[in-house]
Amino acid sequence: MKQKNFLKTFLFGLFLCLGIGSIFGQSPGDLLITEFMPDPNNVSDSTGEYFEIYNTTGSPIDINGWTISDDGSDSQTIASSVVIPANGFAILAISSDPAGDGSVTPNYVYSSYTLSNGADEIVLTTPTSTEIARVNYNDGDEFGDGIAIELENINIPVNGAYTISGSGTNAVAATCLLYTSPSPRDRG
């Protein structure tokens, strides 16, 4: 009987540890910032700024309690469940209508964070302060007003981090509207 209880306790403990590991065990590069709009054209910055996160793993990741920040004073803790599906995307935006026409519903709306039209950073960290994703950029208008900046290739980031330093280095102009058909310019 003792051996049976020990086995049950061991299996329960193992299950618990594995479950906790999948919640807090993210590594740099498990998520990537794949697109961002720091300088929208059709709406104001306070309406149209957004960024997109891609989950590179085969498991969903909930970023509730994680922090979005830059290297300066912008910082916000994500205060609700935002599950990024396995090999899927999530949009975080400064408003509930970043396209200005009701066509886009972000997965999370932030308020204490802004994207600079000049040099800035987008940093995503876990509740234990592990940096999982980062993009550093020198020009929020890399391709002109109203054109989102998109990661050129998901194999570029090293441990989830990359730098865009001008003239298409590691980035391309986003070529589709959020969640809709291809177009040469993003809305925003």
Side-chain angles (χ1 to χ4, degrees), residues 65-181:
W66 292 36
T67 301
I68 53 175
S69 64
D70 60 17
D71 290 342
S73 60
D74 288 341
S75 179
Q76 180 167 340
T77 299
I78 297 167
S80 62
S81 180
V82 180
V83 177
I84 305 172
N87 301 304
F89 295 87
I91 300 288
L92 283 68
I94 199 163
S95 77
S96 61
D97 187 13
D101 63 5
S103 66
V104 176
T105 302
N107 301 86
Y108 185 79
V109 175
Y110 53 83
S111 59
S112 302
Y113 181 77
T114 59
L115 302 175
S116 172
N117 295 342
D120 205 0
E121 309 80 27
I122 305 169
V123 183
L124 185 62
T125 55
T126 67
T128 59
S129 301
T130 301
E131 187 175 296
I132 300 297
R134 166 187 282 268
V135 60
N136 302 317
Y137 63 94
N138 294 329
D139 183 359
D141 294 334
E142 178 93 13
F143 302 103
D145 285 1
I147 301 176
I149 300 167
E150 186 171 57
L151 176 62
E152 182 177 24
N153 180 326
I154 63 167
N155 296 315
I156 289 173
V158 175
N159 292 324
Y162 64 100
T163 298
I164 297 171
S165 57
S167 236
T169 304
N170 297 333
V172 295
T175 57
C176 65
L177 302 174
L178 291 174
Y179 300 141
T180 60
S181 60

Side-chain angles (χ1 to χ4, degrees), residues 14-90:
L14 180 64
F15 173 76
L16 192 61
C17 287
L18 290 175
I20 290 172
S22 68
I23 294 170
F24 296 109
Q26 280 70 50
S27 299
D30 284 354
L31 299 176
L32 298 176
I33 298 157
T34 50
E35 182 176 323
F36 58 100
M37 171 66 81
D39 192 14
N41 196 16
N42 296 338
V43 295
S44 69
D45 287 10
S46 62
T47 299
E49 290 183 355
Y50 71 86
F51 63 96
E52 173 187 81
I53 301 171
Y54 172 63
N55 179 351
T56 67
T57 75
S59 300
I61 297 174
D62 189 349
I63 57 173
N64 184 19
W66 292 36
T67 301
I68 53 175
S69 64
D70 60 17
D71 290 342
S73 60
D74 288 341
S75 179
Q76 180 167 340
T77 299
I78 297 167
S80 62
S81 180
V82 180
V83 177
I84 305 172
N87 301 304
F89 295 87

